[in-house]
């Protein structure tokens, strides 16, 4: 049963996508459906005392329906055609009546969805004049007048509700696009800032190493090359999803950085001459991929700030796996905070990344009042530990 419901839902979604891509085809289908509904009184057997259903009357109902194909392009003009043909049907033709003004309801709904306020007001005034006239020419019944005004008002209300829903969906899509642009900008900032900072440090150390220790100069140039290649690979991996038609799927959807990539990141920082101490505490357990990528980027940005601004000799990176959260502590022995309380773009990005996962980020002086410290706490889902409690320190 569940498979049948899923199949029906899938077919419905495909039909909606087809309708969205082919509005003219949708309008043609609506016109055919309305024509089928208006044909019913002509094919149902009629009482002997009633006027016969003639082809001229049926042809006039068809003329009333055909303009629905252009309802999106000129809804008010289609409404005028509907009122004219309906009036002509009542005055010049003796034929079956319709239980509902199907074509008129579709047009009013369309005007409510698509038209600006002035056009909607003009359409409402037209209907307020035309509906009483039509009822007077037909039955002169207060009941019919009340019913006609009600169904047209209901069509208008449904149209406005549809317009509100479409606008809400559009706003939501724009907000999602803005969030994605901000995410891409943050990722590019982290990747480029980290890579360029390391390359600058290594390049500045190169001339000194050439004179004092040529073997170190070669290592510095190798580190510059490796950092540049890694940055290009990360950018290609991140932006590849925007170029799906140009590259294979495997290349465009490569995985985001994980915690297992941290040692390689730390080695690149060490190659620039900064002493890096890395440690973990607590029971490590599997984390969501998005959380691992966020932890990697937070550590990367914190190290970039150290390389660019701290003038530090060493930096420590500590990950503490708690029962319900993961703590990240990156502390250097440099000159401490140099900017205002808000920090630069990098620190703002760290706070945004932490907040996106329901966490917090605190930056400021180190525990002993020296250096600079970035302390982040991110909630993580509980799961079975994958290792025993440990304390690891790597240099």
């Amino acid at each position: 049963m569940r498979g049948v419901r899923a199949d029906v839902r899938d077919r419905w979604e495909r039909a909606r996508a087809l309708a969205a891509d082919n509005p003219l085809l949708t309008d043609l289908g609506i016109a055919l459906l309305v024509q089928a509904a208006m044909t019913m009184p002509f094919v149902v057997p009629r009482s002997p005392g009633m006027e016969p259903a003639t082809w001229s009357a049926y042809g006039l109902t068809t003329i009333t329906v055909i303009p629905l194909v252009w309802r999106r392009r000129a809804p008010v003009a289609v409404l005028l055609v509907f009122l004219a043909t309906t009036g002509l049907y009542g005055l010049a033709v003796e034929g079956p009546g319709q239980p509902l003004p199907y074509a008129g309801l579709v047009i009013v709904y369309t005007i409510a969805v698509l038209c600006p306020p002035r056009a909607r007001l003009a359409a409402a005034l037209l209907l307020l004049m035309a509906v009483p006239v039509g009822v007077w020419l037909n039955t002169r019944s207060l009941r019919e007048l009340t019913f006609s005004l009600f169904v047209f008002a209901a069509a208008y209300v449904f149209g406005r509700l549809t317009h509100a829903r479409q606008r809400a969906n559009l706003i939501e899509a724009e907000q999602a696009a803005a969030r994605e642009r901000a995410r891409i900008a943050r990722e590019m900032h982290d990747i480029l800032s980290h890579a360029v900072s390391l390359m600058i440090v290594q390049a500045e150390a190169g001339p000194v190493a050439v004179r004092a220790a040529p073997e170190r100069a070669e290592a510095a140039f190798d580190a510059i090359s490796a950092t540049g290649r890694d940055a290009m690979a990360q950018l290609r991996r991140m932006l590849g999803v925007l170029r799906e038609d140009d590259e294979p799927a495997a290349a465009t959807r490569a995985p985001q950085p994980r915690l297992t990539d941290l040692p390689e990141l730390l080695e690149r920082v060490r190659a620039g001459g900064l002493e890096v101490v890395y440690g973990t505490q607590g029971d490590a357990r599997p984390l969501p991929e998005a959380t691992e990528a966020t932890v990697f980027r937070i550590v990367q940005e914190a190290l970039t700030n150290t390389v660019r601004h701290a003038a530090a000799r060493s930096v420590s990176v500590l990950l503490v796996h708690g029962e319900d959260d993961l703590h990240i502590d990156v502390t250097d022995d440099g000159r401490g905070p140099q900017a205002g309380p808000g920090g630069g773009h990098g620190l703002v990005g760290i706070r945004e990344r932490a907040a996106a996962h329901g966490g917090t980020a605190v930056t400021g002086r180190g525990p002993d009042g020296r250096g600079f410290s970035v302390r982040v706490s991110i909630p993580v889902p509980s799961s079975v530990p994958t290792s025993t409690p440990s304390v690891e320190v790597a240099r």
Side-chain angles (χ1 to χ4, degrees):
M1 192 65 172
R2 185 176 302 174
V4 174
R5 287 199 300 267
D7 184 60
V8 171
R9 191 184 304 112
D10 185 57
R11 289 171 183 259
W12 172 251
E13 291 298 330
R14 286 203 299 266
R16 288 184 60 185
L18 179 64
D21 294 337
N22 301 275
L24 184 60
L25 183 63
T26 302
D27 293 340
L28 180 60
I30 291 175
L32 291 174
L33 185 62
V34 171
Q35 182 63 34
M38 296 183 71
T39 302
M40 293 300 174
F42 288 88
V43 298
V44 173
R46 299 173 62 77
S47 301
M50 300 181 67
E51 293 291 336
T54 62
W55 282 107
S56 59
Y58 184 71
L60 194 54
T61 61
T62 303
I63 294 175
T64 303
V65 173
I66 289 176
L68 290 179
V69 177
W70 294 276
R71 68 185 183 95
R72 298 177 197 261
R73 303 179 189 178
V76 177
V78 173
L79 175 63
L80 293 174
V81 173
F82 165 77
L83 294 176
T85 53
T86 302
L88 182 61
Y89 186 90
L91 290 172
V93 178
E94 291 293 340
Q98 296 289 338
L100 283 172
Y102 302 105
L105 296 178
V106 172
I107 298 166
V108 170
Y109 171 85
T110 304
I111 290 174
V113 174
L114 300 180
C115 289
R118 288 187 179 181
R120 298 200 305 270
L121 178 60
L125 294 176
L126 273 174
L127 288 172
L128 286 176
M129 292 186 294
V131 170
V133 172
V135 172
W136 184 82
L137 291 174
N138 188 21
T139 64
R140 302 185 183 181
S141 166
L142 179 61
R143 179 180 179 181
E144 182 184 355
L145 176 62
T146 304
F147 178 74
S148 299
L149 292 175
F150 172 77
V151 294
F152 279 115
Y156 181 84
V157 170
F158 284 135
R160 295 310 298 163
L161 291 175
T162 299
H163 173 79
R165 178 175 55 82
Q166 292 175 348
R167 182 166 180 80
N169 291 341
L170 178 62
I171 293 174
E172 183 179 355
E174 291 175 348
Q175 291 175 343
R179 288 193 297 268
E180 183 64 12
R181 287 194 297 269
R183 185 192 69 82
I184 292 175
R186 190 165 55 239
E187 293 282 338
M188 292 186 66
H189 171 271
D190 289 353
I191 293 171
L192 293 176
S193 178
H194 176 76
V196 172
S197 297
L198 289 182
M199 293 169 71
I200 290 174
V201 170
Q202 292 157 353
E204 289 176 344
V208 177
V210 167
R211 293 189 296 269
E215 67 283 356
R216 288 185 55 195
E218 183 177 351
F221 294 138
D222 289 341
I224 292 173
S225 176
T227 302
R229 283 195 301 270
D230 179 73
M232 289 298 296
Q234 291 190 61
L235 288 174
R236 190 180 300 112
R237 183 169 57 197
M238 182 186 67
L239 298 177
V241 72
L242 305 178
R243 301 161 50 196
E244 291 181 345
D245 296 334
D246 298 335
E247 295 185 4
T252 61
R253 299 192 180 275
Q256 288 292 309
R258 308 291 296 269
L259 290 183
T260 54
D261 298 320
L262 274 180
E264 182 180 352
L265 170 67
L266 302 180
E267 284 300 324
R268 290 198 302 269
V269 176
R270 290 189 185 102
L274 184 66
E275 181 182 355
V276 181
V277 178
Y278 172 54
T280 62
Q281 294 180 3
D283 298 331
R285 57 181 179 272
L287 301 176
E289 291 186 5
T291 303
E292 290 201 31
T294 294
V295 173
F296 180 93
R297 294 301 186 199
I298 288 174
V299 173
Q300 183 184 55
E301 183 56 37
L303 292 175
T304 301
N305 287 338
T306 297
V307 171
R308 294 178 62 183
H309 307 298
R313 292 191 300 271
S314 66
V315 60
S316 66
V317 178
L318 178 63
L319 303 184
V320 181
H321 298 270
E323 293 184 0
D324 302 315
D325 50 18
L326 174 65
H327 296 278
I328 308 164
D329 191 327
V330 181
T331 303
D332 62 55
D333 61 354
R335 55 193 172 196
Q338 301 295 312
H345 292 294
L347 298 182
V348 171
I350 288 175
R351 296 189 187 99
E352 290 176 349
R353 289 182 185 278
H357 291 268
T360 59
V362 179
T363 60
R365 293 192 178 276
D368 57 355
R370 299 183 55 190
F372 191 79
S373 179
V374 175
R375 296 177 293 276
V376 178
S377 178
I378 298 178
V380 295
S382 300
S383 61
V384 179
T386 59
S387 64
T388 57
S390 64
V391 176
E392 174 190 356
V393 177
R395 293 181 180 272

